[in-house]
Each structure stands twice: as C-alpha cells, then as structure tokens.
Amino acid sequence: MKGLFWILALFAAAVGGAMLLRGNEGYALLVVPPWRVEISLNFLVIALVAGFAVLYLLLRGIAVAAGLPGRVRAFRARRAARKSAATFQEALRLYLEGRYGQALRRAADAHEGGYADGLPALIAARAARAMREPEKEQEWVRRAREDGKDIEAACLMSEAESLVEAHRFNDAVTALRRLYDASGRHIAALRLELKAQQGRKDWDEVIRLTRLLQKRNALVPELARETISLAHREALQRRTGDTRAILAYARQIPASEMTPRTAYAVAEALRDQGAPAEALHTLENHLDKEWSSHLIRLYGLIDDGDATPRIARAEKWLKEHSDDADLLLALGRLCQRKQLWGKAQSYLEASLSVAESRDAHLELARLFDQLERQDQANRHYRAAALPALS
C-alpha cells in the first residue's frame, strides 16, 4: 500500500511539472564573449537537473570504487568470523561428545580464526586434559589467558580442576582462592574446593564447606550427611591420645550431625583413652534418641566396673527392641560380667535364635567354660569357627 502511494505521488509530481513547464515561455541568455547563447528556461532547468544527477552518479561511482577494497576486506572478515564460529561450535559439540582429539583440533582451528577471545583455547586445554596431555593443556591455558582477560576466572577454574585431578590439592586451593578474589564464590567452585580439602585432609574445612553447600541445596542430603560424619570421625582420630580434646570436640558436634557412626567413633575413642564412663554416656544419649544396633554392640563391650545400672537400662530398651540380636548379645555380656550365669545364657541363646553370630557363640562358649560344661563350650567354639558366621 505504501509503495502504491509513492507511485501515485511520483506520477502526480510528473504531471504537475509538465503542466508548469508547458506554460513557461521564459528563456535564458548566456553571454561568454564573444558568444551569446539563448536557450529555453525549461531546457536550462532540465539540463541542470540532469547535470546534477550525472555528477552525483559519477562521484558516487568514484566513492564506491575507492571503498571497494575495504568492503572486500570486511566481507572476508565476516566470512572468516562465521567460519570460526561454526568451527568453535563444532569443537564444543565434539568435546561434549567426548571426542577430545577432534575437539582439540577444531578448537585450534577456531583459535587461529580469532573467534571469541580465548574460548577456543580454553576448550582445547580441557580437551588436552581429558587426553592426559598436561603440557598441551598448560600451553593452551597460557594462550587463553593471553587472548582474553574476561575469561581469567574460567582459566582459574580449569586450572583448579586439573590440579585436583593431579592430586595437587594445596595448589588447587591456592588457585581457588585466586578465583574467589577475581569473581567471588559459586557452587561449582565450592564443590571443587570440597574435593581439594578432602584430599588435604583438612577436616574442619571439609565440614565448613559441606555445611555451606547444604544451605544452598547443592549437595544430596545423604552425601552431605556421610561427608560430615566421615570428617568428624577423622577429626576425632587426629585427637587420639587427648581425652579432653576428644570430649571438647564431641560437645561441639551439633545434634543433627551426631550420626550413629559419629557417636560410635566418639565412644570408641573415649573407651580407648580409658574414659569408659564418658563413652557410655555418649552411647546412651544417642541410643535414647535414635536406635542403632551398631552402637548397642559397642555398649556391651565397654566395661566401667559396674554393669548393674546398665543391665537395667538395657532391659528397658529390650521392651521396644525385643528382636534386636545385638541388644540381646549386649545384655548377655553384661550379665556374664556380673556373673549372672542363668540370665547371661538366656540372653545369649535368645540372641542366637534371632540371628546367628560368631560373637554370641563365643560368649556362650566362654560362659560354659566358666561353668565347666566343656561339651557345650566345645560345641559353641566349633559353631563360632564356621566361615558363614559374621
């Protein structure tokens, strides 16, 4: 519709011009001594317009011809950029497909084409790392840093990943500190630092980072729970030999992090340090909150000199856990320690009726040795020697 309007306007202007020129009888006199030229005014106007058009087209042609080399260069640059972009995309696709050798070659081609200020070099570095070629990786990281300052954070992240894979954990943490200074903390970097701190065996940092990642929902809850539990156990192991340090560390563990395995590690460490009362207190507190057959087994092994109150406590637990073979085994051991032979035999045999175990057979064998019932003792010793028993 717009085009039709312009066509009609052009025809109207032409008709109007023609009518104007037809009614114009003026003339122009040009004097250039010794010549005099008399021409129609209409012709002069048409000649001026035509001359202007010719001059414009001539100058325009000269400008186009002069700018042709630049436009050719710009066209070639655009074509090269499109080609480099396509090459880079292909390199990225090949890298994601796991075809690292081809990805490295295509990334090198894109880098030669000057695409994306260092990104092809970074892809080439990652492909080289995947192929276990550290020298090539370092060379491509160097090129990436030279090509683009905006990808320094990406280079540091790649460097830290490479250092973790090489088990150079201290250097990896140093690289991550530089990354934090350059671009702040983010989840991927924190996860990587967690691996590095686990490699360094810096368990306090492992716990701190795991808690931080938990707050950001960046770790599977089960994995976070197990990671913190392992860190607590390792931290307790480092305090072996110092009862006060073990107790102080155990008190600062949040209740939400006191898993059965952590409680077991605390109690075992205290028992080994000659603090059975503290070990039993730890076990009893946890068992009152969360039942664990693993813990009750340890409970029966610790000797604090007076088993009577512990027997009473364990018998209360038995009301709710009557089918727990480990609880019955612990009660059998405690009764045996108090020389309550009948109750001990009853509990141990009940434990065996729930689940066969080597420990229950051995305790019964020792019990019958005490009672000088050698045939029964030998029968349980033989049963305990069976390889199928745990």
Side-chain angles (χ1 to χ4, degrees), residues 76-153:
R76 289 177 176 174
R78 289 194 299 271
R79 185 174 62 180
R82 287 195 296 269
K83 183 178 179 181
S84 295
T87 303
F88 175 74
Q89 291 174 359
E90 184 180 3
L92 186 59
R93 176 181 61 80
L94 291 168
Y95 175 78
L96 294 175
E97 290 176 358
R99 298 158 68 180
Y100 301 117
Q102 296 180 50
L104 177 57
R105 288 191 293 272
R106 300 307 288 162
D109 292 340
H111 177 264
E112 291 299 323
Y115 176 76
D117 291 336
L119 285 178
L122 196 57
I123 293 296
R126 288 181 170 270
R129 186 205 314 159
M131 293 190 297
R132 306 295 181 187
E133 297 184 8
E135 293 181 358
K136 286 186 178 180
E137 179 188 0
Q138 293 173 9
E139 173 62 21
W140 280 110
V141 169
R142 183 190 64 78
R143 294 186 189 182
R145 283 190 165 125
E146 289 177 352
D147 290 345
K149 295 181 180 179
D150 293 339
I151 62 169
E152 177 62 20

Side-chain angles (χ1 to χ4, degrees), residues 207 211 224-237 246 249-270 279 282-283 286 290 292 294-295 298:
I207 292 170
R211 288 171 178 167
R225 181 181 172 94
E226 181 57 32
T227 300
I228 289 178
S229 177
L230 173 62
H232 283 315
R233 297 198 304 271
E234 293 293 339
L236 287 164
Q237 185 66 29
I246 293 172
Y249 187 86
R251 291 191 188 103
Q252 59 88 33
I253 298 176
S256 60
E257 296 177 5
M258 186 61 81
T259 63
R261 296 184 69 180
T262 304
Y264 189 99
V266 172
E268 189 175 42
L270 290 170
T282 299
L283 291 173
H286 192 87
E290 179 183 358
S292 169
H294 189 54
L295 292 184
L298 179 61

Side-chain angles (χ1 to χ4, degrees), residues 5-292:
F5 172 79
W6 280 108
I7 291 172
L8 292 174
L10 182 62
F11 274 111
V15 171
M19 293 177 65
L20 181 64
L21 290 175
R22 187 176 61 182
N24 183 12
E25 297 179 356
Y27 66 92
L29 180 64
L30 302 178
V31 179
V32 181
W35 297 284
R36 291 165 58 92
V37 179
E38 183 179 323
I39 60 175
S40 167
L41 183 60
N42 292 340
F43 177 77
L44 178 61
V45 171
I46 293 172
L48 287 174
V49 172
F52 175 79
V54 170
L55 180 61
Y56 172 79
L57 292 174
L58 179 63
L59 293 176
R60 182 67 178 171
I62 293 172
V64 169
L68 187 60
R71 285 195 295 275
V72 170
R73 286 193 299 270
F75 169 75
R76 289 177 176 174
R78 289 194 299 271
R79 185 174 62 180
R82 287 195 296 269
K83 183 178 179 181
S84 295
T87 303
F88 175 74
Q89 291 174 359
E90 184 180 3
L92 186 59
R93 176 181 61 80
L94 291 168
Y95 175 78
L96 294 175
E97 290 176 358
R99 298 158 68 180
Y100 301 117
Q102 296 180 50
L104 177 57
R105 288 191 293 272
R106 300 307 288 162
D109 292 340
H111 177 264
E112 291 299 323
Y115 176 76
D117 291 336
L119 285 178
L122 196 57
I123 293 296
R126 288 181 170 270
R129 186 205 314 159
M131 293 190 297
R132 306 295 181 187
E133 297 184 8
E135 293 181 358
K136 286 186 178 180
E137 179 188 0
Q138 293 173 9
E139 173 62 21
W140 280 110
V141 169
R142 183 190 64 78
R143 294 186 189 182
R145 283 190 165 125
E146 289 177 352
D147 290 345
K149 295 181 180 179
D150 293 339
I151 62 169
E152 177 62 20
C155 290
L156 286 170
M157 189 70 180
S158 180
E159 179 184 351
E161 290 174 354
S162 180
L163 290 168
V164 168
E165 289 183 7
H167 292 179
R168 294 169 55 188
F169 301 114
N170 291 328
D171 293 335
V173 170
T174 300
L176 287 168
R177 294 286 183 265
R178 289 159 51 203
L179 172 63
Y180 297 153
D181 292 339
S183 62
R185 297 175 179 234
H186 54 84
I187 288 176
L190 290 172
R191 283 175 174 164
L192 188 60
E193 186 183 358
L194 177 60
K195 291 181 181 179
Q197 297 293 3
Q198 286 175 313
R200 295 178 68 205
K201 301 187 185 302
D202 189 340
W203 303 114
D204 292 336
E205 277 298 298
V206 168
I207 292 170
R208 184 186 67 81
L209 288 167
T210 305
R211 288 171 178 167
L212 183 58
L213 288 167
Q214 269 187 305
K215 289 180 181 178
R216 300 189 182 186
N217 294 322
L219 281 180
V220 178
E222 292 77 10
L223 176 60
R225 181 181 172 94
E226 181 57 32
T227 300
I228 289 178
S229 177
L230 173 62
H232 283 315
R233 297 198 304 271
E234 293 293 339
L236 287 164
Q237 185 66 29
R238 288 191 171 184
R239 289 164 173 79
T240 299
D242 189 341
T243 304
R244 289 185 179 180
I246 293 172
L247 283 170
Y249 187 86
R251 291 191 188 103
Q252 59 88 33
I253 298 176
S256 60
E257 296 177 5
M258 186 61 81
T259 63
R261 296 184 69 180
T262 304
Y264 189 99
V266 172
E268 189 175 42
L270 290 170
R271 181 198 66 177
D272 294 343
Q273 289 304 121
E278 290 81 358
L280 290 170
H281 181 70
T282 299
L283 291 173
E284 287 169 353
N285 282 343
H286 192 87
L287 287 167
D288 285 338
K289 297 174 184 176
E290 179 183 358
W291 185 255
S292 169

